[in-house]
Amino acid sequence: MERNYKIPVHVSIIMDGNGRWAKERGRERFCGHAEGVESVRACTEEAVRKGVRYLSLFAFSEENWNRPRDEVSSLMELMVKAMVNELPTFLSNGIRFVVLGNRERLDGRLNSEIDECMRRTAACVNMTLVVFLSYSGRWDILQAAKRLALEAAADPSMVPKVKDMTIEDFSGYMSTAGIPDPDLIIRTSGELRISNYLLWQCAYSEMYFTDTLWPDFREGEFDAALAEYAKRDRRYGKVK
Ligand code: FPP
């Protein structure tokens, strides 16, 4: 199949505004997160239809652990439920499911559901859906640097390799190794910042901000972001 180069290979989304969506309706914050799962489904299906190869979602940041305990546990419960419910859709749409982040902080049940979902979808090839859980950009850079330092300390013959290390080599130590950097990063809800998301990987990403709150961000909104991306002129610092 001939590839349409105006379709981004990797779309990444900072899903924001669930709490405000619920508040506007006089409902609990949890209702906003639950409705947000419907947007996850709508965008995932639309991304597959449009030929996006990687869709990644910032679902829970390292900083989100500081939210009230009830909200954290209901979000975790929602993730487990969503994974169990969505597995048949992943399989029928050929979606490989991957979770990245500091998984040591996730509870045992969530981790075993994640492992099961990753194992069952490992051979799917239409699209990879990456969910960032307990993730932050600084955490990712730090874990990469620590791993590299420990490897070099254990094997001094690595020192020349470290000295000659390229950007691409270091990318291999990031949690996202093997996943192309995002072409397009979408943030919903009107906030105009990166919030410690893919700091290393966003170097040349096109940014798309919308006031739409995440629970209202469905196929039409996703298509509008792709249409805007198609108009962008990517120069990577060069002159064209
Ligand atoms: C940000 O809105 C959203 C989150 C912290 C959670 C996003 C998680 C989901 C939509 C759950 C499902 C995810 C998957 C992958 C199944 P906010 O709470 O910060 O909203 P606010 O800024 O309006 O308070």
Side-chain angles (χ1 to χ4, degrees):
M1 189 175 78
E2 200 176 315
R3 218 190 132 67
N4 175 356
Y5 287 99
K6 291 290 188 185
I7 295 286
V9 173
H10 180 175
V11 177
S12 193
I13 310 181
I14 302 177
M15 308 179 288
D16 199 5
N18 295 350
R20 278 163 282 169
W21 184 92
K23 195 172 175 200
E24 279 175 6
R25 288 159 181 77
R27 289 155 72 181
E28 297 289 326
R29 292 177 59 80
F30 173 76
C31 300
H33 298 315
E35 195 61 28
V37 175
E38 300 305 315
S39 297
V40 169
R41 181 180 303 120
C43 290
T44 303
E45 288 176 353
E46 187 61 3
V48 173
R49 278 194 290 271
K50 284 287 188 280
V52 169
R53 303 310 310 272
Y54 295 83
L55 175 68
S56 60
L57 305 170
F58 198 12
F60 194 86
S61 71
E62 281 278 80
E63 292 78 13
N64 287 155
W65 289 111
N66 299 319
R67 291 192 174 199
R69 209 213 285 245
D70 277 1
E71 182 170 348
V72 171
S73 57
S74 60
L75 264 172
M76 294 300 158
E77 200 51 46
L78 200 60
M79 308 278 182
V80 173
K81 253 208 205 142
M83 244 176 290
V84 173
N85 291 342
E86 298 309 318
L87 183 56
T89 316
F90 294 157
L91 292 169
S92 61
N93 284 283
I95 298 170
R96 179 168 74 110
F97 178 80
V98 173
V99 168
L100 297 178
N102 187 359
R103 286 188 54 189
E104 284 172 15
R105 296 189 74 177
L106 303 178
D107 86 29
R109 187 162 153 248
L110 179 54
N111 266 326
S112 56
E113 291 297 348
I114 291 169
D115 286 339
E116 173 71 3
C117 205
M118 285 177 55
R119 190 185 61 75
R120 302 255 324 258
T121 62
C124 294
V125 293
N126 280 351
M127 188 180 81
T128 298
L129 174 66
V130 182
V131 173
F132 287 97
L133 274 186
S134 193
Y135 180 87
S136 83
R138 286 178 173 174
W139 165 82
D140 202 357
I141 295 167
L142 185 62
Q143 69 75 30
K146 280 183 185 169
R147 220 145 41 86
L148 179 59
L150 289 171
E151 278 180 22
D155 175 8
S157 73
M158 267 189 71
V159 171
K161 189 182 145 197
V162 174
K163 279 192 178 150
D164 292 340
M165 189 155 222
T166 63
I167 302 281
E168 289 70 29
D169 294 334
F170 190 75
S171 292
Y173 283 83
M174 301 299 290
S175 69
T176 48
I179 297 173
D181 288 345
D183 300 292
L184 172 65
I185 297 181
I186 298 170
R187 183 170 189 155
T188 60
S189 91
E191 307 294 352
L192 306 177
R193 48 181 178 263
I194 196 80
S195 293
N196 203 2
Y197 188 36
L198 295 168
L199 299 180
W200 172 265
Q201 300 85 344
C202 76
Y204 285 101
S205 303
E206 294 295 324
M207 309 296 297
Y208 178 85
F209 297 105
T210 170
D211 288 339
T212 304
L213 304 176
W214 176 247
D216 291 327
F217 192 94
R218 300 285 163 96
E219 299 92 295
E221 299 274 343
F222 189 83
D223 290 345
L226 293 191
E228 166 65 28
Y229 173 83
K231 289 192 245 157
R232 303 274 177 97
D233 182 21
R234 301 185 78 190
R235 291 188 295 280
Y236 301 94
K238 298 179 201 149
V239 177
K240 266 193 179 167

